[in-house]
Structure formats: C-alpha cells, structure tokens
Amino acid sequence: MANVNVEIQGTPNPNAAKFLLDQPAIGEPSRSYFDVESARGDRLAERLFEIAGVRALFMVEDFITVTKEEDAAWPDIVDRIEAVILSELG
C-alpha cells in the first residue's frame, strides 16, 4: 500500500474530529467502538484507545472519526492519533 496521508477535519460535535485518509485503507465493513474491550482484535482501534482521552471510534473505508473525552484537549492528543494512524496504515 502506498503511504497514506491524513487530513484532520472538525465536526459539529466539538468532542469529535474526522481523520480523512487520502485513499481507502480501513476496509469493510464500517465499525464503531465505544471502549477498548469492543475494539479487541482490531489493532488500529486498540492502539488508538491506548491514547488517553480517546472515548469512541467510528471507522469507515477512508476516514476515522475519533470522539474524545470532554476534559481532553485536542492539542494534547491530535498528533498522537495521527501518528498511530500513519504507523498502522502508512
């Protein structure tokens, strides 16, 4: 797979951000995870849940929506989220 590039986009929910991939990389089917236990077996999701402040994930073929804990600050976690995505998919 060629290197994946990530663009970060806000959503109407200030606690959620969309991490857009420049190519399909997630695969089918789409999936949602609300805790680390529900993400077991999905390496990318498991690694994202290792980041303090990540509360939920919605993963589709070419984007991942990350919902953070209300008290987490985007500047503290966005670079780590992007790094995990790139290390797993890039």
Side-chain angles (χ1 to χ4, degrees), residues 64-77:
I64 301 167
T65 299
V66 177
T67 303
K68 68 174 187 64
E69 298 288 344
E70 197 165 320
D71 60 346
W74 282 118
D76 296 338
I77 64 173

Side-chain angles (χ1 to χ4, degrees), residues 27-47:
E28 295 291 331
S30 63
R31 49 209 184 267
S32 296
Y33 301 113
F34 299 99
D35 56 42
V36 70
E37 289 304 315
S38 64
R40 293 282 180 231
D42 184 324
R43 180 167 165 76
L44 173 57
E46 288 177 355
R47 289 203 52 216

Side-chain angles (χ1 to χ4, degrees), residues 42-57:
D42 184 324
R43 180 167 165 76
L44 173 57
E46 288 177 355
R47 289 203 52 216
L48 289 169
F49 274 114
E50 290 174 359
I51 299 168
V54 171
R55 189 184 80 197
L57 303 168

Side-chain angles (χ1 to χ4, degrees), residues 3 5-6 19 26 34 36 42 68 72-73 77-78 82 84 89-90:
N3 287 341
N5 292 306
V6 178
F19 292 76
I26 300 297
F34 299 99
V36 70
D42 184 324
K68 68 174 187 64
I77 64 173
V78 73
E82 184 176 14
V84 167
L89 302 178

